[in-house]
Amino acid sequence: MYINPAIKNGTTAHIAAIYTLYQKVASIKGGLARTKNEITTEYISLFVHKSIQSGIIIIAVDETTSAIVGEIHCYGSGIGVFAQVLGELTIAVDPDYQGKGIGRILFKKLLNTVINEKPEIIRIELIARESNTKAISFYESLGFKKEGRLEKRIQSASGGLEADIPMAWIRKY
Ligand SMILES: CC(C)(COP(=O)(O)OP(=O)(O)OC[C@H]1O[C@@H](n2cnc3c(N)ncnc32)[C@H](O)[C@@H]1OP(=O)(O)O)[C@@H](O)C(=O)NCCC(=O)NCCS
């Protein structure tokens, strides 16, 4: 069943609710790189501030509960020669709400914002662990392309090391 959440820009007023969302998403291994105890208010606050300052942050709200059930953000590096790049992209959807179309709604909103409101942005970068095949095929369906393979870069949920896959979306003219 697909739900129709409210889609809004994230603000600093949402930091506590985004923290709660990320704690929940990080409790399931194999998705976010950070573990639950690495999701701190400082981490959330830093990316919210950076995304507001030099990128995009969008949230999905279930209006029946007012809970933030999804979030996506990315931001610039602050380095002039990379002014056309948004990176550090992370998306997280509440496990109870995954598979209902929220991730796609958030991502499409982010890409449409870049296409229509940020003509200076030519490239959006992300990295996904190789075993997160659901996320990788999702990103490919949105126009992201694999750009290589970073061997043994990330620890697997099951132990051992696995490849990280750098991917990018590039503006079409
Ligand atoms: C990856 C994630 C953001 C996707 O969000 P979502 O709301 O579950 O995704 P959607 O329901 O919009 O589905 C998007 C696509 O993902 C795929 N997908 C969704 N659920 C799936 C499942 N259970 N199995 C396989 N593919 C699935 C489908 O390709 C779907 O495309 P469709 O719209 O054509 O059906 C979400 O699962 C999540 O937060 N995962 C944990 C954190 C994470 O992995 N973040 C990314 C780190 S790189």
Side-chain angles (χ1 to χ4, degrees):
M1 190 194 72
Y2 280 59
I3 74 155
N4 194 15
I7 303 298
K8 306 177 183 183
N9 288 326
T11 72
T12 53
H14 300 123
I15 288 171
I18 295 172
Y19 170 82
T20 303
L21 168 69
Y22 270 64
Q23 281 283 326
K24 201 169 168 187
V25 177
S27 62
I28 294 169
K29 287 186 177 167
L32 294 177
R34 282 180 177 73
T35 57
K36 213 172 163 211
N37 63 348
E38 292 166 337
I39 303 290
T40 60
T41 310
E42 290 70 31
Y43 159 65
I44 305 290
S45 178
L46 192 64
F47 78 61
V48 170
H49 280 95
K50 283 186 174 180
S51 304
I52 291 169
Q53 196 187 359
S54 69
I56 301 175
I57 176 165
I58 303 165
I59 57 169
V61 178
D62 179 345
E63 289 190 308
T64 57
T65 61
S66 298
I68 294 182
V69 295
E71 187 268 353
I72 188 169
H73 68 266
C74 56
Y75 52 83
S77 64
I79 300 170
V81 290
F82 298 123
Q84 66 285 355
V85 180
L86 291 177
E88 306 296 333
L89 188 147
T90 304
I91 179 166
V93 173
D94 184 324
D96 293 336
Y97 289 77
Q98 288 178 14
K100 297 178 189 295
I102 295 173
R104 190 171 290 278
I105 292 171
L106 285 170
F107 233 118
K108 284 200 162 165
K109 176 76 178 169
L110 181 127
L111 292 176
N112 283 336
T113 304
V114 168
I115 290 166
N116 299 320
E117 298 171 28
K118 293 188 177 289
E120 73 282 11
I121 299 301
I122 308 301
R123 190 181 152 86
I124 305 173
E125 299 173 344
L126 60 80
I127 302 182
R129 63 172 78 224
E130 188 172 39
S131 61
N132 200 350
T133 51
K134 169 178 144 182
I136 291 174
S137 18
F138 171 38
Y139 302 148
E140 285 180 322
S141 78
L142 290 159
F144 281 77
K145 293 207 164 41
K146 292 179 182 167
E147 291 195 320
R149 193 184 151 80
L150 307 173
E151 291 292 349
K152 297 191 187 297
R153 182 165 187 266
I154 184 165
Q155 293 175 14
S156 308
S158 52
L161 298 173
E162 64 171 303
D164 244 350
I165 308 297
M167 302 182 77
W169 171 92
I170 297 181
R171 180 185 292 274
K172 290 197 178 75
Y173 291 99

